Amino acid sequence: MDFSDYLSRQPDREGRFGRYGGAYLPPGLVPAFAEIDLAYRTISRSAKFIAELRRIRREFQGRPTPVYHCARLSDLIGSSQIYLKREDLNHTGAHKLNHCMGEGLLARHMGKRRLIAETGAGQHGVALATAAAYFGLECEIHMGEVDIAKQAPNVTRMRILGAKVVPVTHGLRTLKEAVDSAFESYAASYGDSIYCIGSAVGPHPFPLMVRDFQTVVGVEAREQFIEMTGSLPEAVLACVGGGSNSIGIFAPFLADPGVELYGVEPMGRGPGEGENAASITYGSAGVMHGFESYMLKGGDGEPAPVYSIASGLDYPSVGPEHAMLHDEGRVRYVSADDAQALEAFFKLSRYEGIIPAIESAHAIAHAMRMAREGGTRTLLVNCSGRGDKDVDFITERYGFGEGYV
């Protein structure tokens, strides 16, 4: 595939990235998604909208976030040099606000009064609650009971910001069920609401919208890295659950053939069914939540149970653009398990003074693995979020790093 004008060609008008994507919707929701598509295609070409979003990013979000050289961690491991794109320094502590502020601006343009969403790790929920408070909108966040217990600090933040948090009590009570619940709520109230999907998944136009809003990460990182080092990184890495942070940093590097791209999936406890959430590694094509992509399936062909130590990664599918980039061979999808993510979590904390989100620690873990292989490569990792939300859960179960550093 020619990536020189990739962003202007993908997806096609039906929202397909090759064979993946699309919009598989009940008839009642087709007009609602058509309305969102038209509104987005209209305002994304508006100088007024773009200027307002840039102002918000600069004055409210604190962008640009920096690129940081992990000198001590790099020296500890080998001769390769590890750099971080510090999305943990974006307001609210993760990359999620990049698309949430865009979606909030879109909702205001459409005259909607309520934002509805799901969340796993809680970062998307906090970001959307923040956007709702900023724009003066109502906010309804659906979250599985398991994740509510694991991510209590983020639940508190959502409620302080004025969001209604809806506990999801069926199934595995994690991210997939939260998406199911949020879709049901949106289907009953789309006249005055907009569903703000938390990753690069879902029916068209959401994978397109989220990618576009998140591309600011890679645009900044590419310019910053060249300014810091005089060249492009040899590899760019990011964790992949649904895939918003990874597609955001990958997209501006797709046309650079000398830059290797690595999406790091959660291997969890191992390769067995229900033990991981590595959708590309073990999945096959399927349709869920209104789009086609790689999907982890049970024996009945339905979505399989999944697991990851990271609440933001335990989803049984992946964004359709990632599925296409895998098939094209432009991005290599690898994995890190819970133990590797924990080692990266504690080592980055101890050697660099940066506590990463456990989701981001998966990508850092693979960068550490590559550094241990030798050579003198430059490795740029998207540190997609900070770990404040994880510290209680991690320390209660794994202590303060003994055995990992």
Side-chain angles (χ1 to χ4, degrees):
M1 177 181 287
D2 178 11
F3 288 96
S4 59
D5 59 346
Y6 173 86
L7 294 179
S8 65
R9 293 186 291 104
Q10 298 291 341
D12 65 19
R13 283 293 295 119
E14 283 69 49
R16 290 199 168 272
F17 300 89
R19 66 171 289 187
Y20 306 104
Y24 298 82
L25 297 164
L29 282 180
V30 170
F33 276 77
E35 178 191 19
I36 294 170
D37 185 24
L38 178 60
Y40 177 67
R41 286 190 289 113
T42 300
I43 66 170
S44 65
R45 292 163 172 79
S46 162
K48 181 179 179 181
F49 174 84
I50 293 167
E52 175 68 359
L53 186 58
R54 287 176 175 171
R55 184 193 66 78
I56 289 169
R57 286 172 171 169
R58 182 179 63 253
E59 298 177 6
F60 183 68
Q61 294 184 229
R63 302 205 69 89
T65 60
V67 166
Y68 169 76
H69 179 211
C70 297
R72 293 192 67 227
L73 182 64
S74 300
D75 290 345
L76 175 73
I77 295 171
S79 298
S80 289
Q81 300 302 306
I82 299 173
Y83 295 78
L84 303 180
K85 175 59 172 167
R86 296 290 308 276
E87 287 301 286
D88 57 310
L89 297 180
N90 193 33
H91 180 46
T92 74
H95 70 290
K96 296 290 188 180
L97 197 62
N98 298 329
H99 65 254
C100 286
M101 294 306 291
E103 289 171 339
L105 198 55
L106 174 64
R108 189 178 70 179
H109 168 81
M110 297 175 67
K112 305 296 185 181
R113 66 179 182 85
R114 181 191 299 112
L115 307 179
I116 298 174
E118 81 298 329
T119 194
Q123 289 299 107
H124 176 61
V126 169
L128 197 68
T130 299
Y134 181 93
F135 290 110
L137 303 171
E138 297 176 22
C139 186
E140 179 180 300
I141 303 295
H142 296 248
M143 190 172 189
E145 280 189 330
V146 169
D147 294 333
I148 286 175
K150 287 172 66 176
Q151 306 293 340
N154 272 347
V155 176
T156 299
R157 293 168 74 194
M158 285 182 257
R159 288 173 170 154
I160 288 173
L161 289 161
K164 175 184 177 182
V165 179
V166 180
V168 180
T169 61
H170 65 279
L172 295 177
R173 298 172 293 141
T174 56
L175 184 54
K176 175 190 174 295
E177 289 77 22
V179 175
D180 294 339
S181 179
F183 257 116
E184 290 172 7
S185 178
Y186 175 62
S189 61
Y190 61 81
D192 63 358
S193 304
I194 185 171
Y195 181 30
C196 299
I197 291 176
S199 193
V201 298
H204 179 68
F206 282 97
L208 165 66
M209 288 169 48
V210 171
R211 181 197 69 192
D212 287 356
F213 289 137
Q214 289 294 344
T215 297
V216 64
V217 179
V219 169
E220 289 178 2
R222 191 178 185 281
E223 294 175 354
Q224 291 165 326
F225 201 90
I226 292 172
E227 183 178 354
M228 288 179 72
T229 69
S231 63
L232 291 168
E234 291 169 72
V236 176
L237 303 91
C239 64
V240 177
S244 57
N245 91 93
S246 43
I247 202 61
I249 198 168
F250 290 164
F253 290 98
L254 288 170
D256 297 313
V259 179
E260 299 175 356
L261 304 176
Y262 291 86
V264 187
E265 296 194 296
M267 185 53 67
R269 293 181 289 243
E273 182 178 313
E275 297 296 302
N276 64 79
S279 303
I280 292 179
T281 303
Y282 295 118
S284 58
V287 175
M288 67 175 286
H289 293 150
F291 70 103
E292 182 175 6
S293 185
Y294 279 89
M295 183 177 90
L296 291 168
K297 301 175 185 176
D300 58 0
E302 294 298 309
V306 293
Y307 160 80
S308 170
I309 193 173
S311 296
L313 301 181
D314 59 354
Y315 186 66
S317 187
V318 66
E321 191 163 7
H322 287 288
M324 185 195 71
L325 291 171
H326 168 266
D327 288 1
E328 291 289 333
R330 182 62 186 95
V331 180
R332 181 180 176 188
Y333 293 86
V334 295
S335 63
D337 63 25
D338 285 1
Q340 292 164 334
L342 284 164
E343 181 198 10
F345 176 90
F346 285 115
K347 274 196 164 66
L348 189 69
S349 299
R350 293 288 182 92
Y351 285 88
E352 297 294 345
I354 298 169
I355 303 174
I358 195 66
E359 290 80 10
S360 311
H362 286 70
I364 296 161
H366 191 72
M368 291 167 55
R369 182 189 305 160
M370 292 175 69
R372 286 173 176 142
E373 292 171 354
T376 57
R377 289 175 288 187
T378 51
L379 311 173
L380 173 62
V381 184
N382 194 8
C383 186
S384 54
R386 64 176 178 243
D388 302 27
K389 66 185 180 59
D390 297 308
V391 293
D392 291 342
F393 171 76
I394 295 295
T395 56
E396 285 172 8
R397 289 158 178 79
Y398 304 101
F400 295 93
E402 301 84 353
Y404 291 99
V405 295

